[in-house]
Amino acid sequence: MQSQRQRSEGRPRAGWMVMGKRGRPSAIEVCRVFVLFLSLLPSVTLQCKILMCNSEFWASTTNSGPEEEFCTALRAYNGCVRRTARTCRGDLAYHSAQHGIEDLMSQHNCSKEGPTSQPRGRTPLPPALPPPPPPDSQERSDGPEVCHYERGFPRNAAQPNFTHCGFFGDPHLRTFGDDFQTCKVEGAWPLIHNKYLSVQVTNTPVLPGSSATATSKLTIIFKNFQECVDQKMYHAETDELPAAFADGSKNGGERHGANALRVVEKVPGQHVEIQARYIGTTVVVRQVGRYLTFAVRMPEEVVRSVEDDDDDDDNQDLYLCLHGCPANQRIDFQKARGQAASGTRRFSYQSAKAKCKERLPVEDLYFHSCVFDLLSSGDVDFTMAAYYALEDVKTLHSNSKRHHIFEKNAYSGCAATHGAAKRFLLNLLLAVLLCRALAL
């Protein structure tokens, strides 16, 4: 008969019984890998494969055939798009594909459940000519009450709280929460992604080899909304600031409330305003010099609206106007300004201040952004970019006391960064302690 000690030694340890005698070393190795993963996590980047999904789907549906085969291809497309959710959440092509799939499934009465194998090739039909863009009727009635956000509130009720986001210069971001940040964000980044619209900017280097970037492209997608508007896309880039949506129309389409969405050209080639009254939103896009600026006025309810799909928690993470730039994309404004104070070939620190003072007499963060941009780029057009950004704030921000932001109020974003760093170090410490406990 075994002694009590022998029976105790023969009993496997809970949680590691599959490891046998080598359980404890394996646990330690697992923890080492886990700690290494935590330390590398902030620098992990993956490539978006949405274009591959698009090409596979259209390659399989360029020919005519039974409706069942189209639905099969559409379900395969939907699965491919969903698998890209984490790597493509900041890409407008991904969000556009999501909405396109929903529309096609509805139009063809496709079930989301069913086979997803690719259909066999079929004999192609001649391509159909695209329909001409619908004529705009600016005389059309404004449509039903649901197409006017502010009319939906009773006269004696509290009015909605409007917020503002701006993106300009080198680039500088003012979030819906009035945090002011200077960021790198080279390439394509989402400024806004919610239930009603998506906005993406593309930033390119201002000078070869420089970390300074500015916005050269901007795309806005206004999504279908009840009986008010069709889905519309507005696209602008350097030297191309259209006075219409991508399909040539200037309003929300052929629906009864189409004029609840309108493109209004204020200054040809320089200033466009998009009025989306059905969501109480006004968007201002400008070209200043070689680059674009963006500003928006939006109700808080719309700002925080969330898509009704499984992937939307991920999509919200890179919503710059709401969450700010990621910590690894932010520039320490004071430190960078100090490094730039030696000046460029065109501006010294004092001459940059004098130039910015001509348009921005108040030494707030718009003024300091102007100085920073002149020193980092030597491009005098950035003076006007900061000036117009502040003018848009005065027009769009509902709280006149918050038009100017000063440096002492500018670093709430830094506190958030420090908090995230503390949480990361705490997780790392817990992992180390767990490893030690398992090793005992």
Side-chain angles (χ1 to χ4, degrees):
M1 180 178 293
Q2 288 180 311
S3 67
Q4 183 175 359
R5 179 176 179 181
Q6 288 173 324
R7 288 195 300 271
S8 175
E9 290 176 349
R11 190 180 298 123
R13 296 182 66 178
W16 297 98
M17 62 179 64
V18 297
M19 298 293 183
K21 294 181 180 179
R22 303 182 66 85
R24 277 179 279 184
S26 298
I28 295 172
E29 291 303 317
V30 168
C31 285
R32 285 175 179 168
V33 172
F34 178 56
V35 172
L36 179 62
F37 173 75
L38 278 176
S39 65
L40 294 177
L41 187 60
S43 62
V44 172
T45 57
L46 298 173
Q47 186 176 5
C48 174
K49 301 293 180 65
I50 187 63
L51 296 181
M52 180 188 70
C53 296
N54 293 349
S55 60
E56 287 179 355
F57 172 67
W58 292 116
S60 66
T61 56
T62 52
N63 309 314
S64 63
E67 197 78 356
E68 300 82 31
E69 290 192 358
F70 181 84
C71 290
T72 297
L74 193 57
R75 283 190 290 268
Y77 183 31
N78 187 40
C80 183
V81 169
R82 285 187 173 274
R83 287 192 293 274
T84 69
R86 290 191 176 276
T87 56
C88 297
R89 58 191 178 184
D91 196 305
L92 271 188
Y94 164 73
H95 300 298
S96 182
Q98 280 187 311
H99 293 287
I101 289 169
E102 292 174 7
D103 290 344
L104 288 171
M105 282 191 167
S106 175
Q107 292 170 17
H108 294 268
N109 295 318
C110 296
S111 169
K112 291 186 178 181
E113 302 297 329
T116 57
S117 58
Q118 295 293 336
R120 60 183 180 277
R122 300 179 289 272
T123 304
L125 289 178
L129 292 175
D136 287 307
S137 174
Q138 300 301 332
E139 302 300 322
R140 187 180 303 145
S141 67
D142 286 339
E145 287 290 313
V146 71
C147 299
H148 289 266
Y149 181 82
E150 293 179 64
R151 288 185 191 173
F153 292 86
R155 181 170 298 179
N156 297 326
Q159 292 302 300
N161 181 34
F162 288 93
T163 58
H164 164 268
C165 176
F167 195 73
F168 68 97
D170 193 8
H172 308 285
L173 170 69
R174 179 170 179 160
T175 71
F176 284 124
D178 287 333
D179 287 335
F180 197 100
Q181 301 167 0
T182 298
C183 309
K184 303 173 189 175
V185 289
E186 182 176 349
W189 288 81
L191 281 182
I192 297 175
H193 173 68
N194 60 40
K195 192 173 183 179
Y196 305 101
L197 79 162
S198 296
V199 180
Q200 179 172 289
V201 292
T202 299
N203 302 308
T204 54
V206 173
L207 296 171
S210 171
S211 62
T213 66
T215 301
S216 58
K217 295 181 183 179
L218 181 143
T219 302
I220 308 172
I221 293 178
F222 293 90
K223 303 170 187 177
N224 292 318
F225 183 74
Q226 299 183 18
E227 63 263 49
C228 303
V229 300
D230 299 323
Q231 179 165 303
K232 293 287 179 177
M233 182 176 77
Y234 181 83
H235 179 79
E237 52 187 280
T238 299
D239 297 329
E240 188 177 342
L241 192 66
F245 292 111
D247 63 1
S249 65
K250 293 189 177 182
N251 63 13
E254 286 299 294
R255 301 189 187 185
H256 186 43
N259 275 339
L261 176 63
R262 295 196 306 157
V263 178
V264 180
E265 186 176 56
K266 297 290 187 177
V267 180
Q270 297 181 31
H271 180 191
V272 167
E273 184 172 295
I274 305 176
Q275 301 164 354
R277 290 195 294 270
Y278 65 102
I279 51 174
T281 295
T282 300
V283 175
V284 175
V285 183
R286 299 177 186 268
Q287 176 166 335
V288 185
R290 295 181 296 131
Y291 301 106
L292 304 176
T293 70
F294 170 86
V296 64
R297 175 185 186 262
M298 186 179 292
E300 193 172 66
E301 176 187 11
V302 176
V303 167
R304 299 186 179 277
S305 64
V306 176
E307 285 277 14
D308 299 324
D309 61 53
D310 295 337
D311 301 321
D312 212 56
D313 287 343
D314 291 329
N315 296 337
Q316 296 295 316
D317 292 348
L318 289 178
Y319 182 165
L320 300 191
C321 275
L322 183 59
H323 299 297
C325 298
N328 64 351
Q329 292 293 317
R330 298 181 193 177
I331 297 172
D332 185 325
F333 192 81
Q334 289 180 320
K335 181 179 179 181
R337 191 179 65 195
Q339 292 173 344
S342 58
T344 63
R345 286 176 295 178
R346 186 168 184 182
F347 288 99
S348 67
Y349 182 64
Q350 291 303 323
S351 64
K353 287 185 67 175
K355 187 64 180 177
C356 292
K357 202 78 170 179
E358 293 174 8
R359 289 285 182 174
L360 300 158
V362 178
E363 293 194 16
D364 61 358
L365 280 172
Y366 291 91
F367 170 84
H368 290 301
S369 297
C370 172
V371 174
F372 174 83
D373 290 352
L374 291 185
L375 292 173
S376 62
S377 71
D379 188 343
V380 72
D381 288 326
F382 281 118
T383 303
M384 296 305 296
Y387 168 77
Y388 283 124
L390 181 58
E391 290 302 298
D392 289 336
V393 169
K394 294 175 181 178
T395 302
L396 301 174
H397 202 295
S398 59
N399 185 350
S400 61
K401 295 180 180 179
R402 297 291 296 165
H403 289 172
H404 296 283
I405 298 180
F406 297 91
E407 286 194 78
K408 64 181 180 181
N409 305 122
Y411 299 102
S412 57
C414 294
T417 303
H418 293 158
K422 288 179 181 178
R423 287 193 296 272
F424 171 74
L425 291 174
L426 179 60
N427 288 337
L428 197 61
L429 177 61
L430 289 174
V432 172
L433 292 175
L434 176 62
C435 293
R436 289 183 176 179
L438 291 171
L440 296 177

